[in-house]
Amino acid sequence: SAVISQKPSRDICQRGTSLTIQCQVDSQVTMMFWYRQQPGQSLTLIATANQGSEATYESGFVIDKFPISRPNLTFSTLTVSNMSPEDSSIYLCSVTPGHASGEQYFGPGTRLTVT
Amino acid sequence: EDQVTQSPEALRLQEGESSSLNCSYTVSGLRGLFWYRQDPGKGPEFLFTLYSAGEEKEKERLKATLTKKESFLHITAPKPEDSATYLCAVLNDMEYGNKLVFGAGTILRVKS
């Protein structure tokens, strides 16, 4: 497994501002993923971030709203841009140490509240 | 489109009262089925991976089984510390990139 940390753990932001969430892994991994978990709901994949290539976004998510960086094999950032109250969620990053197994390990999450 | 349905939505058990959680799935070729535990305010914690029908895995009081259409998470003699949301997810063997599709989860409460 991998040890994953996220910063910040929580934040309260004003409408119209942006927040960048960091995800750090203790080992090199090829694939990193960003999920959103809205209150009382399950996880929805936002995008897949591979080092050295553009992130791949799922239907309903766009790069202008959720720009992602993946500068190396242990780090990624997700920015939530021009926030509205509907963006209030928990944002989670995950990694898969091995492509074949499919197992993903999750960070502790960032709880975002937009007022 | 891949779908994962978990039941029940919520389950209340007395300590020691064994039960099962269900995860039914529709996927065009299953590459793997995953169980996670999520505590409030935390990220999901990986529990099990099942790859083929008939496979079983155990960890402490938990046992996961898999058929061609569903998976069960059996909880034997649960304790209050087993209280959590249990999530099921599937990986499609046609999908490059390890995209997991999650169910809505079962909220388990175990009372002493």
Side-chain angles (χ1 to χ4, degrees):
Chain A
S1 64
V3 178
I4 305 163
S5 60
Q6 287 185 234
K7 290 182 181 179
S9 59
R10 59 177 61 222
D11 207 341
I12 300 173
C13 300
Q14 297 288 329
R15 182 195 302 256
T17 62
S18 297
L19 176 71
T20 295
I21 302 167
Q22 300 178 5
C23 179
Q24 180 76 51
V25 190
D26 69 341
S27 57
Q28 293 185 341
V29 292
T30 303
M31 293 183 175
M32 296 181 77
F33 306 86
W34 287 98
Y35 288 83
R36 182 173 72 182
Q37 187 173 30
Q38 294 180 303
Q41 297 189 25
S42 192
L43 283 74
T44 301
L45 181 65
I46 297 172
T48 302
N50 292 335
Q51 195 268 338
S53 62
E54 294 289 327
T56 302
Y57 289 83
E58 296 300 306
S59 176
F61 299 96
V62 295
I63 187 171
D64 290 345
K65 176 68 175 177
F66 298 101
I68 289 171
S69 77
R70 182 78 200 275
N72 58 52
L73 291 173
T74 63
F75 187 79
S76 178
T77 67
L78 169 76
T79 299
V80 186
S81 303
N82 188 24
M83 288 184 285
S84 66
E86 293 71 37
D87 294 319
S88 297
S89 285
I90 299 173
Y91 291 87
L92 296 145
C93 71
S94 73
V95 303
T96 181
H99 172 71
S101 70
E103 296 169 5
Q104 290 184 23
Y105 298 91
F106 285 82
T110 295
R111 182 180 293 272
L112 171 62
T113 302
V114 184
T115 61
Chain B
E1 184 176 330
D2 300 343
Q3 286 193 333
V4 179
T5 303
Q6 292 188 245
S7 61
E9 291 184 9
L11 182 62
R12 288 176 170 245
L13 299 174
Q14 287 294 125
E15 184 172 4
E17 180 187 2
S18 301
S19 188
S20 295
L21 312 182
N22 178 264
C23 171
S24 63
Y25 60 90
T26 304
V27 63
S28 53
L30 181 70
R31 186 165 140 207
L33 185 141
F34 307 86
W35 282 98
Y36 289 85
R37 168 191 171 128
Q38 186 174 27
D39 293 298
K42 296 187 177 182
E45 173 190 349
F46 172 77
L47 293 174
F48 302 110
T49 307
L50 300 166
Y51 293 107
S52 57
E55 189 175 0
E56 300 182 350
K57 293 224 176 135
E58 289 189 64
K59 179 180 179 180
E60 298 180 354
R61 294 177 293 282
L62 300 177
K63 178 180 175 181
T65 62
L66 181 65
T67 72
K68 288 186 178 180
K69 292 186 177 181
E70 58 191 348
S71 176
F72 293 93
L73 185 65
H74 307 277
I75 303 175
T76 302
K79 298 182 177 182
E81 52 262 41
D82 294 321
S83 297
T85 297
Y86 290 86
L87 299 168
C88 169
V90 296
L91 182 64
N92 183 334
D93 72 358
M94 301 301 291
E95 192 75 45
Y96 177 77
N98 289 2
K99 174 186 172 182
L100 292 181
V101 175
F102 280 85
T106 293
I107 302 171
L108 174 65
R109 292 289 176 260
V110 182
K111 297 185 69 174
S112 59

